[in-house]
Amino acid sequence: MSRPDPFSFSDCPIANVLDCVGDKWSLLILRDLLFFGKQSFSALQNSDERMATNILSSRLEKRENDGLITRQADPGDKRKKVYTLTQAGKDRLPIMLEMIAWSSQYDPDTNAPRPLVKRIKTNRENLIRDLLNRVES
Protein backbone atom coordinates (compact mmCIF):
# COMPACT_ATOMS: atom_id res chain seq x y z
CA MET A 1 0.00 0.00 0.00
CA SER A 2 1.42 3.36 -0.92
CA ARG A 3 1.68 6.18 1.57
CA PRO A 4 -0.96 8.91 1.18
CA ASP A 5 1.72 11.59 1.16
CA PRO A 6 4.22 10.96 -1.66
CA PHE A 7 6.72 13.17 0.16
CA SER A 8 6.66 11.06 3.32
CA PHE A 9 10.02 9.45 3.99
CA SER A 10 9.02 6.97 6.64
CA ASP A 11 7.49 3.52 6.66
CA CYS A 12 6.55 3.97 10.32
CA PRO A 13 2.80 3.43 10.82
CA ILE A 14 2.58 6.31 13.28
CA ALA A 15 4.32 8.68 10.85
CA ASN A 16 1.94 7.44 8.16
CA VAL A 17 -1.13 8.29 10.25
CA LEU A 18 0.33 11.70 11.09
CA ASP A 19 0.83 12.34 7.37
CA CYS A 20 -2.86 11.51 6.83
CA VAL A 21 -4.13 13.48 9.81
CA GLY A 22 -2.32 16.60 8.78
CA ASP A 23 -2.85 19.20 11.47
CA LYS A 24 -5.22 20.51 14.12
CA TRP A 25 -7.52 22.19 11.61
CA SER A 26 -7.93 19.04 9.54
CA LEU A 27 -8.88 17.05 12.63
CA LEU A 28 -11.43 19.69 13.61
CA ILE A 29 -13.05 19.49 10.18
CA LEU A 30 -13.35 15.71 10.55
CA ARG A 31 -14.71 16.19 14.07
CA ASP A 32 -17.40 18.55 12.83
CA LEU A 33 -18.39 16.21 10.01
CA LEU A 34 -18.39 13.10 12.22
CA PHE A 35 -19.89 14.39 15.46
CA PHE A 36 -21.84 17.54 14.64
CA GLY A 37 -23.23 16.82 11.16
CA LYS A 38 -21.85 20.03 9.69
CA GLN A 39 -21.68 19.89 5.91
CA SER A 40 -21.39 23.42 4.57
CA PHE A 41 -18.48 25.82 4.47
CA SER A 42 -20.32 28.32 6.65
CA ALA A 43 -21.30 25.68 9.21
CA LEU A 44 -17.69 24.48 9.40
CA GLN A 45 -16.42 28.03 9.71
CA ASN A 46 -18.84 28.76 12.56
CA SER A 47 -17.28 26.16 14.84
CA ASP A 48 -16.06 27.34 18.23
CA GLU A 49 -12.48 27.55 16.94
CA ARG A 50 -13.45 30.06 14.21
CA MET A 51 -11.09 28.83 11.52
CA ALA A 52 -10.02 31.52 9.04
CA THR A 53 -11.61 31.14 5.60
CA ASN A 54 -8.29 30.64 3.81
CA ILE A 55 -7.26 27.88 6.23
CA LEU A 56 -10.65 26.18 5.99
CA SER A 57 -10.54 26.32 2.18
CA SER A 58 -7.05 24.86 2.00
CA ARG A 59 -7.81 22.09 4.51
CA LEU A 60 -11.04 21.12 2.77
CA GLU A 61 -9.19 20.91 -0.53
CA LYS A 62 -6.41 18.83 1.06
CA ARG A 63 -8.85 16.43 2.74
CA GLU A 64 -10.71 16.07 -0.56
CA ASN A 65 -7.46 15.34 -2.39
CA ASP A 66 -6.58 12.82 0.34
CA GLY A 67 -9.88 11.03 -0.30
CA LEU A 68 -11.36 11.72 3.14
CA ILE A 69 -14.21 13.98 2.03
CA THR A 70 -16.20 14.72 -1.09
CA ARG A 71 -17.59 18.03 -2.28
CA GLN A 72 -20.86 18.28 -4.18
CA ALA A 73 -23.30 20.98 -5.14
CA ASP A 74 -25.99 21.59 -2.53
CA PRO A 75 -29.27 20.23 -3.98
CA GLY A 76 -31.13 23.22 -2.51
CA ASP A 77 -28.70 25.87 -3.80
CA LYS A 78 -26.31 24.91 -6.60
CA ARG A 79 -24.03 27.85 -5.69
CA LYS A 80 -23.20 26.22 -2.35
CA LYS A 81 -21.16 23.09 -1.69
CA VAL A 82 -21.91 20.19 0.62
CA TYR A 83 -19.05 18.25 2.19
CA THR A 84 -19.47 14.61 3.17
CA LEU A 85 -17.16 11.94 4.48
CA THR A 86 -15.88 9.13 2.29
CA GLN A 87 -15.46 5.66 3.73
CA ALA A 88 -11.83 6.52 4.49
CA GLY A 89 -13.04 9.59 6.39
CA LYS A 90 -15.61 7.56 8.31
CA ASP A 91 -12.90 5.04 9.17
CA ARG A 92 -11.20 7.81 11.18
CA LEU A 93 -13.94 7.59 13.80
CA PRO A 94 -12.16 5.06 16.07
CA ILE A 95 -9.06 7.27 16.09
CA MET A 96 -11.16 10.30 17.03
CA LEU A 97 -12.85 8.33 19.82
CA GLU A 98 -9.46 7.30 21.21
CA MET A 99 -8.41 10.95 21.24
CA ILE A 100 -11.57 11.87 23.17
CA ALA A 101 -11.02 9.03 25.67
CA TRP A 102 -7.37 10.01 26.18
CA SER A 103 -8.23 13.69 26.61
CA SER A 104 -10.99 12.95 29.10
CA GLN A 105 -8.61 10.82 31.15
CA TYR A 106 -5.74 13.31 31.27
CA ASP A 107 -7.42 16.71 30.97
CA PRO A 108 -9.88 17.38 33.80
CA ASP A 109 -11.13 20.50 32.02
CA THR A 110 -12.08 18.81 28.75
CA ASN A 111 -15.63 19.43 27.58
CA ALA A 112 -16.14 15.86 26.36
CA PRO A 113 -19.66 14.84 27.35
CA ARG A 114 -19.47 12.26 30.13
CA PRO A 115 -22.11 9.99 28.55
CA LEU A 116 -20.02 9.90 25.36
CA VAL A 117 -16.85 9.06 27.29
CA LYS A 118 -18.70 6.32 29.14
CA ARG A 119 -19.94 4.82 25.86
CA ILE A 120 -16.42 4.93 24.43
CA LYS A 121 -15.22 2.89 27.39
CA THR A 122 -18.13 0.47 27.74
CA ASN A 123 -19.91 0.14 24.40
CA ARG A 124 -17.55 1.36 21.68
CA GLU A 125 -18.84 -0.82 18.83
CA ASN A 126 -22.45 0.28 19.27
CA LEU A 127 -21.34 3.90 19.62
CA ILE A 128 -19.40 3.67 16.34
CA ARG A 129 -22.39 2.10 14.62
CA ASP A 130 -24.76 4.78 15.98
CA LEU A 131 -22.49 7.67 14.99
CA LEU A 132 -21.93 6.29 11.49
CA ASN A 133 -25.66 5.75 11.03
CA ARG A 134 -26.26 9.37 11.99
CA VAL A 135 -23.56 10.60 9.59
CA GLU A 136 -24.99 8.52 6.75
CA SER A 137 -28.58 9.68 7.22
Side-chain angles (χ1 to χ4, degrees), residues 29-30 33 59-61 63-71 83-86 89:
I29 290 169
L30 293 177
L33 291 168
R59 295 323 187 274
L60 286 169
E61 182 179 349
R63 299 295 63 107
E64 186 177 6
N65 291 337
D66 289 344
L68 298 178
I69 63 173
T70 60
R71 177 184 57 180
Y83 298 92
T84 56
L85 293 161
T86 64

Side-chain angles (χ1 to χ4, degrees), residues 6 9 12 16 31 33 36-37 42 56 64 72 74 79-80 83 89 95 98 107 109-110 122 131 136:
F9 298 103
C12 171
N16 178 281
R31 174 205 63 190
L33 291 168
F36 301 117
S42 61
L56 178 56
E64 186 177 6
Q72 300 168 339
D74 184 329
R79 297 170 296 163
K80 296 180 181 179
Y83 298 92
I95 295 169
E98 279 301 316
D107 179 2
D109 298 324
T110 187
T122 62
L131 288 169
E136 293 167 357

